[in-house]
Amino acid sequence: MKALLSPLALALMAGPLFAQTSADTDQRLSDLEKKIEKLTKLETRKDDAKDSGFTVKFGGRFHLDSVFFNGNENRLANGTQLRRARISFKATFGKNWLGEGDYDFADSTASIKDMWIGYQGFKNTLIQVGQFKAPFGFDTLSSSNAIWFTERSYSDVWTPDRHVGVAYQTWGERWQTKLNFFGQAIDDTNNAGSLDANGSDQGWGYAGRFTFAPVLVSETKAVHLGVATTYRKPNADYSTTTLTPLASLQYVVDLSGRPEAGKISKAKFLNAKISNVDNWKQYGAELAGVWGPFSWQGEYQQTKVYRRAAVGTGAAALASVVDHSFATYYGQVSWVFGGQRTYEVSDGLFGKVVPSKNGAWEVVARYSKMDQDDLTALDAVKGGVAKNMSLGLTYYMNKNIRWMMDYTKVDNNENAKPKGVYGGIVNDDFAFTSLRLQVNF
């Protein structure tokens, strides 16, 4: 009897225990379901806010430069300059709208760089309205935070850069294309010296660029090919109000540029300037790539200037209708130690070097040439020819700070010379060293 009672007693005691355990489990499951429901509602509210709300992210950069010339016969200023001091923002307006703004205070006056709004509601597509860079020139389109040297190549002298306009961009797995119709830049229309004084129309143009990656293993192993073109009408000329409107319109294209040396010295050795211009067209070809630590980038560009109807009489009239052609090219290579440069298919450009936790070093070399001589029998243009050889060393402390040092040797021909105030001496071959502290956030 004792043997029967013991198991029965245990069973009677276990019954309430199991019942209690089952009740606790049910309660815990109920609590868990409530927590999951609460989290789901919270995520839903976040998604709704993202779709219909407003977000903004601020950033900035400053580039502190020094330049030292040597071997020059003309007067070229050595010194230090705050090359860029920018505050920027990126905003989203709901799910499909976004915008950017970029202000530069380096010249002690506020200058608008980028200012646009865009729509991205279609797959792999961006439609922009506002001021942004026209799609021409790999070097020009690259961010100043990502360029390999302190200054871009000679090609940046004549690319369209930023203008007010509208653009359509779309991309796929290996390619991208962008089309842009634009007017003048904001600074060309808002400055006091650019206000309408004689009824001149503003300049306008269009540009297009197509890039393709025939080899795309990853963002760190890719080969880039690109072509681009642009068509432009001269900017309005408001130089005079005393002549009749027809006579006062100069229709001038100024291709002058500095020797890849920043703005500390204002001397420009290339000085092609053509008047009586109807339009000018540019064509560009790009070859670039990255393969692990090694990367390369090169472009060839040609500029063709087409004249208006004859102005004046006799020889002057004949000279005023002669068309002109100029060209430039460059090639540069890089090797990164302790970091990595990446290729971005959707833009057809390189991103910034991302250093390791211990920083990174980069060694770069570049050869560039710009020919602004067009020695036609009539109306010969002697804008000069310049050839540069540059070497550079960059240290990336982290993703926000880098130190740069470049050395450039300049070879100018007999037509490349600055204005008389700087000396006006021809065949002035010289070298310069550029230093930069760059901070971006």
Side-chain angles (χ1 to χ4, degrees):
M1 187 72 176
K2 231 183 239 189
L4 281 171
L5 287 174
S6 294
L8 181 60
L10 289 172
L12 292 172
M13 294 173 61
L17 179 62
F18 282 120
Q20 183 179 2
T21 303
S22 177
D24 290 344
T25 301
D26 291 342
Q27 183 62 42
R28 289 175 182 174
L29 287 173
S30 177
D31 292 342
L32 182 59
E33 288 174 352
K34 290 179 180 178
K35 288 180 180 180
I36 292 174
E37 184 180 358
K38 185 176 180 181
L39 289 172
T40 301
K41 290 180 178 179
L42 181 61
E43 290 300 318
T44 300
R45 285 197 295 269
K46 287 182 178 180
D47 291 339
D48 291 342
K50 184 177 180 180
D51 291 344
S52 60
F54 168 77
T55 65
V56 62
K57 180 180 179 181
F58 292 96
R61 73 188 73 174
F62 77 82
H63 299 171
L64 182 62
D65 289 6
S66 294
V67 175
F68 305 95
F69 293 91
N70 63 83
N72 51 292
E73 298 179 63
N74 288 283
R75 292 182 293 275
L76 305 178
N78 301 316
T80 301
Q81 179 193 38
L82 190 60
R83 181 69 170 85
R84 297 177 181 90
R86 297 184 185 176
I87 298 296
S88 62
F89 69 84
K90 295 183 178 181
T92 61
F93 311 89
K95 183 179 180 180
N96 296 322
W97 293 88
L98 71 162
E100 290 189 16
D102 194 356
Y103 300 83
D104 196 344
F105 302 90
D107 295 327
S108 299
T109 57
S111 174
I112 298 176
K113 296 299 181 181
D114 294 308
M115 184 59 66
W116 58 268
I117 187 170
Y119 179 75
Q120 55 182 2
F122 305 112
K123 183 180 179 181
N124 294 344
T125 298
L126 174 63
I127 300 172
Q128 291 174 280
V129 178
Q131 173 154 298
F132 46 87
K133 289 183 178 180
F136 186 88
F138 193 115
D139 214 14
T140 297
L141 291 171
S142 299
S143 168
S144 61
N145 285 330
I147 55 178
W148 301 8
F149 291 84
T150 55
E151 291 297 329
R152 297 179 175 90
S153 67
Y154 276 122
S155 65
D156 193 53
V157 166
W158 62 24
T159 51
D161 201 31
R162 293 175 172 88
H163 287 263
V164 176
V166 58
Y168 173 85
Q169 183 178 16
T170 185
W171 58 90
E173 184 178 346
R174 291 175 176 264
W175 60 273
Q176 72 83 37
T177 189
K178 187 171 186 177
L179 303 174
N180 174 211
F181 179 84
F182 55 83
Q184 294 187 182
I186 290 176
D187 286 348
D188 290 337
T189 57
N190 286 4
N191 290 342
S194 301
L195 298 177
D196 177 23
N198 57 17
S200 304
D201 290 334
Q202 294 184 2
W204 58 272
Y206 56 81
R209 180 173 180 255
F210 173 78
T211 65
F212 174 66
V215 179
L216 184 62
V217 179
S218 67
E219 63 179 6
T220 63
K221 291 184 178 181
V223 176
H224 162 101
L225 297 174
V227 292
T229 186
T230 180
Y231 170 97
R232 284 187 277 176
K233 286 282 192 177
N235 283 1
D237 182 284
Y238 302 126
S239 59
T240 178
T241 60
T242 59
L243 302 177
T244 62
L246 182 62
S248 64
L249 299 182
Q250 300 300 309
Y251 302 103
V252 173
V253 169
D254 186 351
L255 304 177
S256 60
R258 298 180 301 275
E260 302 176 349
K263 296 182 177 180
I264 293 174
S265 172
K266 305 295 185 182
K268 297 181 177 181
F269 283 76
L270 299 175
N271 290 288
K273 191 173 183 178
I274 305 96
S275 60
N276 195 44
V277 175
D278 179 69
N279 67 81
W280 77 105
K281 301 174 182 178
Q282 294 179 291
Y283 308 93
E286 309 167 4
L287 172 62
V290 58
W291 207 264
F294 179 64
S295 49
W296 64 95
Q297 178 183 320
E299 293 183 78
Y300 173 83
Q301 295 176 0
Q302 187 177 57
T303 296
K304 292 182 176 291
V305 180
Y306 299 93
R307 312 294 279 276
R308 297 171 60 85
V311 174
T313 59
L318 294 175
S320 69
V321 298
V322 176
D323 298 334
H324 292 287
S325 180
F326 312 97
T328 186
Y329 65 85
Y330 73 92
Q332 59 191 36
V333 293
S334 160
W335 194 281
V336 178
F337 301 88
Q340 183 62 60
R341 175 174 280 111
T342 57
Y343 177 69
E344 300 172 355
V345 175
S346 60
D347 289 323
L349 297 170
F350 290 125
K352 295 190 300 181
V353 169
V354 179
S356 66
K357 63 179 181 179
N358 296 319
W361 290 88
E362 182 179 20
V363 179
V364 292
R366 178 173 69 196
Y367 178 80
S368 57
K369 177 183 177 180
M370 176 166 272
D371 186 348
Q372 292 194 9
D373 278 349
D374 190 19
L375 308 180
T376 52
L378 286 174
D379 192 46
V381 176
K382 299 180 179 180
V385 179
K387 305 172 186 176
N388 285 18
M389 183 67 203
S390 303
L391 297 173
L393 179 66
T394 298
Y395 172 58
Y396 297 84
M397 290 182 61
N398 50 51
K399 66 179 182 179
N400 302 109
I401 302 174
R402 68 172 175 170
W403 300 81
M404 307 178 72
M405 180 175 66
D406 305 337
Y407 179 81
T408 299
K409 183 71 176 176
V410 182
D411 180 7
N412 290 312
N413 79 343
E414 66 277 5
N415 294 324
K417 62 179 181 179
K419 293 180 179 179
V421 67
Y422 300 105
I425 301 172
V426 301
N427 284 319
D428 187 4
D429 300 334
F430 55 88
F432 60 88
T433 301
S434 302
L435 304 174
R436 171 172 292 170
L437 167 60
Q438 174 180 308
V439 179
N440 63 271
F441 55 92

